[in-house]
Amino acid sequence: MLIKIRIVKNAVKGEKIVVHGTSAKIKGVELVPMAGSRGSETIGKPVVFGHDPRAVGASKNLYQESITYANKNAEYGNYGQIVIGSAKKKDLKNVGKVLDAAGPDAVLPNNPTTQKYLYSEKPITVKKVIEPVQKTYPGTSKQYTAFDPKILQRELRKQGVSLRQPSIAEQAEDVRKVASRKIQQIKNRRRFKDDSDF
């Protein structure tokens, strides 16, 4: 019931939930537009980037894309955060369209992934900050630090959002890629066996 209320509230207020990964520790209640990244330089102004949890296939790639930014300094033991934020729909723009228009010198032009990124020139309100947790390797007592995708999904649901599943076309493409890899592996094994007969 609470989730349905959140969905209605988001719609009535004209707001959209986005996910942001950062290697910095968030201070305050807003994500503030900044300049300096290659993406913001291409756009030509300070912006805040976010992943769209309702983009096609978000259930497959949003978590990984978010932790790529959150884990930027992980090798030094400095983990960042995953932030769930809220912005006015009218303030959010599609990154892919801007980068495509910028031409071949832009960051990742014509890349389907960039079509799923959003940006805002205005601050984004922080709804929830997700920290990494301690996990234990199966069958051992050794621990490691990682972000838990289940926590991200749960917190998104609390904000009235569920990650969108891959489209039928994307699922078919995934199946095709898996089949193609298996065929190539079989060919490689046969080639290796034939070469070893000499």
Side-chain angles (χ1 to χ4, degrees):
M1 186 65 179
L2 180 62
I3 292 173
K4 288 182 180 178
I5 292 172
R6 289 278 192 182
I7 294 171
V8 172
K9 276 188 177 179
N10 291 340
V12 170
K13 292 168 73 175
E15 294 184 345
K16 183 172 180 62
I17 298 297
V18 295
V19 178
H20 177 85
T22 176
S23 58
K25 294 295 182 184
I26 298 300
K27 295 177 181 176
V29 295
E30 290 183 328
L31 295 172
V32 181
M34 299 186 73
S37 70
R38 289 178 63 206
S40 63
E41 286 172 4
T42 299
I43 291 168
K45 57 192 73 175
V47 297
V48 182
F49 291 101
H51 302 285
D52 182 0
R54 292 302 299 157
V56 174
S59 63
K60 186 173 72 171
N61 53 41
L62 181 139
Y63 168 74
Q64 191 58 51
E65 289 169 3
S66 298
I67 65 171
T68 297
Y69 292 95
N71 284 344
K72 222 169 188 178
N73 299 321
E75 61 183 305
Y76 304 108
N78 300 319
Y79 290 83
Q81 297 169 322
I82 295 175
V83 181
I84 296 175
S86 175
K88 294 287 185 184
K89 285 184 179 179
K90 63 182 178 62
D91 293 336
L92 292 169
K93 298 174 184 173
N94 185 285
V95 174
K97 290 177 182 175
V98 173
L99 298 184
D100 287 348
D105 295 328
V107 182
L108 301 175
N110 303 313
N111 187 323
T113 303
T114 64
Q115 299 290 340
K116 300 170 184 177
Y117 295 162
L118 301 171
Y119 75 89
S120 173
E121 296 169 36
K122 295 183 179 178
I124 291 177
T125 303
V126 173
K127 291 289 189 178
K128 181 69 179 180
V129 175
I130 299 172
E131 304 279 359
V133 295
Q134 290 294 307
K135 294 190 171 189
T136 305
Y137 288 106
T140 72
S141 59
K142 189 174 181 182
Q143 291 191 321
Y144 64 99
T145 304
F147 287 94
D148 190 334
K150 291 179 181 176
I151 294 176
L152 174 59
Q153 291 173 18
R154 184 180 69 231
E155 294 301 333
L156 281 170
R157 283 196 299 271
K158 287 181 181 178
Q159 297 301 327
V161 179
S162 59
L163 294 173
R164 189 167 174 182
Q165 299 298 316
S167 66
I168 293 173
E170 285 185 316
Q171 292 178 46
E173 179 62 14
D174 287 344
V175 171
R176 187 197 67 75
K177 285 179 180 177
V178 170
S180 179
R181 278 198 300 269
K182 287 185 177 178
I183 290 170
Q184 190 58 50
Q185 287 171 354
I186 291 169
K187 286 181 179 177
N188 290 342
R189 281 199 295 270
R190 284 180 180 165
R191 191 177 299 122
F192 178 76
K193 185 177 183 301
D194 292 342
D195 290 345
S196 65
D197 287 340
F198 287 102

